[in-house]
Amino acid sequence: MWPFTQEEKYDIRGKTVLVTGGLGCLSTHLNETLLGMGAKLVLTDFLSDDEGSKKCQEYNDKAGRRVAAYIRADLANLDDLEMMVDKAFRVFETLDVLVNNIGMPAYGDFYEDHDSKSIAYNLDVNLRAAMIATRLFVEKVRASGTNREAAVVSNSSISSMMPNEHFMLYGTSKAALIYFTQANTYLAPQIRVSCVAPFMVDSPMVNRYKKHIDSPYYNVHTVVPIENVTAATIKLIESRSSAGQSIISIGDWYTLPVWHFTMSKAYMYILILLSWVVGILKAMVGIRRQPQFDKEKYR
């Protein structure tokens, strides 16, 4: 099942892709898939230049040419974000796709296990970094010409739709990322912003928290293989009708669209329409709203 229309795919071959969190487990599988499709990569992470350069050299040696480069950056730092995007555009003299793949786990009781600094840092990494990187990317794409086509894919989480006291901080940032994605629909067709929201992925980060998870929903049938997250990300990049789309991934399903925002929006518009109709009907029969609060006193 795939919710997008059949159309000519955006060809990844020859494109340059910036992947944040580029040395992580999820990113490594995505990197190898993108390289296999003929893309060039700019990877960014907080790990040392030596570690990043070593990984990129492996990719370059395998390809027999330069296809990957590394930029060390702390994405909680605004100066590093600007430096990252600026350098990424210059490495291969162009940049076509941004994958906001960085994620920082935040498990525990919001009031007992986190302080103000850890809350701010988590929000900086999981939300602010993706928003600002997207803004900087969009600015440069727009400046390079109106015919330039580009794509942004962010990594959200199904925790954004399943409120839980243990993942309150993480889920809140990921819910905001889905809102941000859908709000950017207007950038299409030049720039398509989308995101994938997987259930718990079979990765080292999630496996560290298995012992804390006591839920009938968490089992071998619902855990998402890393390959499925990669497949969903690739499909979002390739589809020219992916703008504003958020795709959930549960178990072996990775093509289910997130409808709850659309339904909430429809409900909101229905209430607005009903309020408008009721207001007109009241006015027609002479009923006027009587203000209970004297605004004039506070001017």
Side-chain angles (χ1 to χ4, degrees):
M1 176 184 176
W2 187 245
F4 306 140
T5 58
Q6 296 295 320
E7 81 280 83
E8 182 184 354
K9 291 181 179 179
Y10 176 72
D11 190 359
I12 295 175
R13 185 176 61 256
K15 302 298 192 298
T16 302
V17 183
L18 169 61
V19 182
T20 68
L23 301 185
C25 183
L26 265 69
S27 294
T28 297
H29 188 270
L30 176 64
N31 296 342
E32 293 170 356
T33 303
L34 288 167
L35 288 171
M37 299 176 73
K40 290 174 286 188
L41 300 178
V42 179
L43 308 181
T44 184
D45 213 308
F46 65 89
L47 298 177
S48 69
D49 286 321
D50 287 343
E51 291 175 274
S53 298
K54 180 180 178 182
K55 175 57 68 176
C56 289
Q57 191 58 52
E58 291 175 10
Y59 293 147
N60 294 335
D61 290 343
K62 185 176 180 179
R65 58 192 177 91
R66 192 181 187 218
V67 294
Y70 181 68
I71 299 172
R72 185 181 183 277
D74 175 5
L75 298 195
N77 183 295
L78 293 176
D79 290 336
D80 276 18
L81 277 166
E82 297 213 10
M83 175 273 296
M84 172 192 76
V85 175
D86 185 58
K87 280 190 175 181
F89 267 86
R90 290 190 276 115
V91 170
F92 293 107
E93 299 181 351
T94 184
L95 191 62
D96 307 285
V97 179
L98 166 64
V99 179
N100 290 309
N101 221 27
I102 192 170
M104 181 178 180
Y107 179 87
D109 186 281
F110 182 77
Y111 303 98
E112 300 291 336
D113 299 321
H114 299 285
D115 58 24
S116 297
K117 287 186 177 179
S118 69
I119 291 168
Y121 189 77
N122 270 275
L123 291 173
D124 286 348
V125 172
N126 289 329
L127 176 61
R128 189 181 71 167
M131 294 179 69
I132 292 180
T134 300
R135 183 185 69 81
L136 295 169
F137 175 78
V138 168
E139 280 184 348
K140 287 189 175 291
V141 171
R142 282 176 158 177
S144 64
T146 56
N147 294 325
R148 178 89 181 284
E149 189 178 1
V152 178
V153 180
S154 299
N155 197 328
S156 179
S157 169
I158 206 168
S159 63
S160 63
M161 291 162 269
M162 300 173 67
N164 180 294
E165 66 269 25
H166 300 299
F167 291 98
M168 189 186 303
L169 177 55
Y170 185 76
T172 298
S173 64
K174 295 302 185 178
L177 198 52
I178 291 179
Y179 179 96
F180 178 72
T181 295
Q182 297 200 353
N184 274 292
T185 303
Y186 77 101
L187 294 175
Q190 183 186 11
I191 304 168
R192 292 170 284 104
V193 180
S194 59
C195 78
V196 58
F199 192 68
M200 293 180 178
V201 181
D202 186 14
S203 67
M205 184 179 83
V206 169
N207 291 336
R208 284 199 296 272
Y209 295 97
K210 272 185 178 179
K211 63 182 179 181
H212 300 294
I213 301 167
D214 181 20
S215 170
Y217 304 111
Y218 183 79
N219 57 59
V220 69
H221 303 296
T222 57
V223 171
V224 182
I226 288 176
E227 296 85 352
N228 284 12
V229 181
T230 293
T233 302
I234 296 296
K235 282 183 176 289
L236 287 166
I237 295 172
E238 289 183 325
S239 174
R240 285 193 162 97
S241 58
S242 65
Q245 294 285 350
S246 302
I247 301 303
I248 67 173
S249 179
I250 302 177
D252 289 330
W253 294 87
Y254 60 86
T255 57
L256 300 173
V258 175
W259 294 114
H260 73 293
F261 275 99
T262 303
M263 294 177 68
S264 297
K265 190 184 296 184
Y267 179 61
M268 178 190 70
Y269 283 127
I270 289 171
L271 289 180
I272 291 173
L273 179 61
L274 287 175
S275 298
W276 181 68
V277 170
V278 170
I280 290 176
L281 292 176
K282 284 183 176 181
M284 290 174 65
V285 298
I287 300 176
R288 295 284 186 272
R289 177 184 293 173
Q290 298 299 319
Q292 303 297 316
F293 179 72
D294 187 1
K295 298 186 290 293
E296 300 300 324
K297 283 177 58 178
Y298 299 93
R299 289 200 169 198

